[in-house]
Amino acid sequence: MFWKYLLFETKLLLLNRKNWLLGLGLILFFPMYYSHYSQLDIVEIREEVAKESEKFYEVFNSFPGSVWETQEGKEIYANLLEQIGLLHWQVLYLRKDGNLDGYFGAGPNFHKFFDGRLKLNELRLDLHQRGNKGIHREHIVPVDEILKENALYRYHREHDISLIQDPFKASNYIPVALNLISGTLFCILVLLAGSSILVNDQLHPSVLFGFPISFMQKAISKVGVHFVQIMFFLCASILIGSFYVARKTGWGDFRAPVLIYQDADFIAISMLRYLFYMLIAFALIALFLLFTFLLINLVTKNLYAAIVIILFVLLAPQLLLVAGVETNWLYPLKFIDISAVLSGEAAKEYGVEKLDFKHAYSWLVVLNLLVISILYGRNKLLHIKKVETIPLKSS
């Protein structure tokens, strides 16, 4: 009977035009946003390194003379001189009229740029350990930026992947689009798609009462079919979006690195691995939202109230933060915005070093189990109360 009910729910969902419209909107999002993204003026690494080299002279000009005269000042001066020398080599390596195949292909000089850049960051970290004495704040490179760059360049060097990538190719565009969907936008999509999860039960209670299966089996069926449809729309939108971008600019290299935050540090992973992490996270988030929506809808008996309550709870950390209220204890709710967790922005915002994707997945699994347990417990309590109120028949 469970499979018959599951088939029944599937047929109802397939006839739901609202969900198909939401799916169409998600599928159209990738090509529509690309039309805007492709017009952005993205600064190339060549320009960044050239500006960095030119601006470096300001460090010397703003350095106080009293520090130069000390022994520590002389050591800092030697450090800065080595940095400017490395930066000059960076500019030469990145010149367009240079031998790009030699520097960034399979030639013998492939590692020179990366080795020099890693050495440069090593010198920067040394200055951080010295407290950046005598260096103006605007010329200090944050430690997080140094760690990100180190992870990125080590990945390029270890996997022999070209440094200069076309940001408008599919392999580089898909992570950008997924980051934009992550968070509130995806939550709204899931809640709207699941908004009809109890409509037929409320409109036709006598018909659905005829299925002799337990409440939890019904709940799992409803959530299951909606979950499959949402993930189908998401995967279809990624595939169709990738084909659309590939036809315009090419597929790119799906081994290209994407930075993520893990164990209080930054690591670089391939775009395919990043896509896998995002899909797993989206799946856990979708399940959590659907089960939570089902629970609140059963309690409030009001579709719109359930949506508003969930959105208010999910946005509570941002609302309280704007109001100046400490919200560190609400950091588990930040896991809904998985892109912020993977990028390390969530850990930085809440000051919680362990707030990485492993921690997020663990919490999402726990939250799913918690909501399912509450649904099960509530149903058991209602069943017990119903049995206790049934009058005993006279013998």
Side-chain angles (χ1 to χ4, degrees):
M1 186 57 68
F2 171 76
W3 295 109
K4 289 184 178 180
Y5 185 80
L6 183 65
L7 182 62
F8 173 73
E9 286 290 336
T10 303
K11 289 180 178 179
L12 287 179
L13 189 61
L14 292 176
L15 295 174
N16 191 325
R17 296 179 181 178
K18 170 182 65 67
N19 282 24
W20 286 106
L21 186 62
L22 288 171
L24 179 62
L26 181 60
I27 290 172
L28 291 176
F29 164 80
F30 281 82
M32 289 178 65
Y33 178 67
Y34 184 78
S35 63
H36 164 72
Y37 176 75
S38 60
Q39 301 301 317
L40 296 178
D41 186 16
I42 298 178
V43 180
E44 294 186 357
I45 189 171
R46 295 186 182 96
E47 299 177 28
E48 291 180 355
V49 174
K51 290 180 180 178
E52 191 177 9
S53 177
E54 293 172 3
K55 191 177 180 181
F56 199 85
Y57 289 100
E58 297 177 11
V59 178
F60 291 97
N61 296 332
S62 62
F63 204 94
S66 58
V67 179
W68 288 126
E69 300 172 358
T70 64
Q71 179 60 33
E72 186 178 12
K74 293 176 181 179
E75 293 175 358
I76 294 175
Y77 181 75
N79 181 306
L80 294 175
L81 280 178
E82 191 173 356
Q83 285 193 44
I84 189 63
L86 289 169
L87 280 171
H88 283 321
W89 278 109
Q90 307 292 303
V91 175
L92 291 175
Y93 291 150
L94 292 171
R95 286 178 61 181
K96 290 185 177 181
D97 57 349
N99 184 2
L100 295 183
D101 291 334
Y103 290 125
F104 305 106
N109 296 320
F110 175 78
H111 296 286
K112 281 191 174 182
F113 176 87
F114 304 112
D115 291 340
R117 199 69 183 182
L118 292 172
K119 177 61 178 177
L120 176 66
N121 286 335
E122 184 181 328
L123 294 170
R124 287 170 172 170
L125 290 174
D126 178 66
L127 291 182
H128 275 284
Q129 292 175 357
R130 295 174 182 272
N132 289 296
K133 185 178 294 186
I135 301 176
H136 197 275
R137 182 179 300 175
E138 67 178 14
H139 298 139
I140 297 174
V141 181
V143 174
D144 284 354
E145 295 301 318
I146 296 173
L147 296 178
K148 288 179 181 179
E149 196 173 89
N150 282 346
L152 191 65
Y153 290 151
R154 287 194 185 104
Y155 182 94
H156 277 284
R157 187 175 63 177
E158 292 170 3
H159 296 82
D160 288 350
I161 296 178
S162 172
L163 172 67
I164 301 174
Q165 300 281 334
D166 186 347
F168 301 114
K169 289 191 175 182
S171 59
N172 296 314
Y173 168 71
I174 296 301
V176 174
L178 287 177
N179 290 342
L180 192 63
I181 291 175
S182 174
T184 305
L185 185 60
F186 182 71
C187 292
I188 293 174
L189 172 69
V190 174
L191 292 176
L192 290 176
S195 61
S196 56
I197 200 168
L198 288 176
V199 169
N200 289 290
D201 296 62
Q202 295 167 351
L203 294 177
H204 309 287
S206 58
V207 175
L208 297 177
F209 184 75
F211 285 94
I213 62 174
S214 67
F215 167 80
M216 287 308 297
Q217 287 180 318
K218 288 183 178 180
I220 291 172
S221 298
K222 291 177 179 295
V223 170
V225 295
H226 282 81
F227 168 76
V228 171
Q229 187 184 55
I230 291 169
M231 294 307 296
F232 170 77
F233 287 148
L234 181 61
C235 293
S237 63
I238 293 173
L239 288 174
I240 294 173
S242 298
F243 275 105
Y244 174 82
V245 176
R247 285 178 62 88
K248 286 187 169 293
T249 57
W251 286 101
D253 190 347
F254 283 86
R255 298 176 303 151
V258 180
L259 285 173
I260 66 169
Y261 180 77
Q262 176 182 321
D263 299 329
D265 198 0
F266 292 94
I267 64 170
I269 60 175
S270 69
M271 183 272 168
L272 284 177
R273 187 175 169 188
Y274 179 81
L275 177 60
F276 174 74
Y277 285 169
M278 289 291 282
L279 287 176
I280 293 295
F282 279 135
L284 291 172
I285 292 167
L287 283 174
F288 170 65
L289 291 174
L290 289 171
F291 276 117
T292 303
F293 179 78
L294 180 63
L295 172 63
I296 296 178
N297 205 353
L298 287 170
V299 173
T300 61
K301 307 294 184 183
N302 189 302
L303 167 67
Y304 301 104
I307 294 177
V308 171
I309 289 172
I310 293 175
L311 286 177
F312 178 79
V313 172
L314 295 179
L315 294 175
Q318 284 76 20
L319 296 175
L320 292 174
L321 192 63
V322 171
V325 179
E326 182 65 34
T327 60
N328 282 5
W329 59 280
L330 289 174
Y331 79 88
L333 294 176
K334 192 65 177 180
F335 296 143
I336 299 299
D337 187 2
I338 193 62
S339 68
V341 175
L342 287 171
S343 67
E345 293 178 7
K348 184 178 180 180
E349 178 181 351
Y350 289 93
V352 182
E353 288 189 350
K354 62 181 179 180
L355 209 164
D356 58 12
F357 77 97
K358 292 181 180 179
H359 198 58
Y361 290 170
S362 301
W363 263 103
L364 287 172
V365 170
V366 170
L367 289 173
N368 272 289
L369 294 176
L370 178 63
V371 175
I372 293 172
S373 300
I374 294 174
L375 273 171
Y376 179 79
R378 176 185 179 277
N379 179 64
K380 279 294 182 183
L381 287 174
L382 291 176
H383 180 72
I384 293 172
K385 288 182 180 180
K386 184 177 180 181
V387 172
E388 289 176 350
T389 55
I390 295 177
L392 295 174
K393 294 181 179 179
S394 56
S395 54

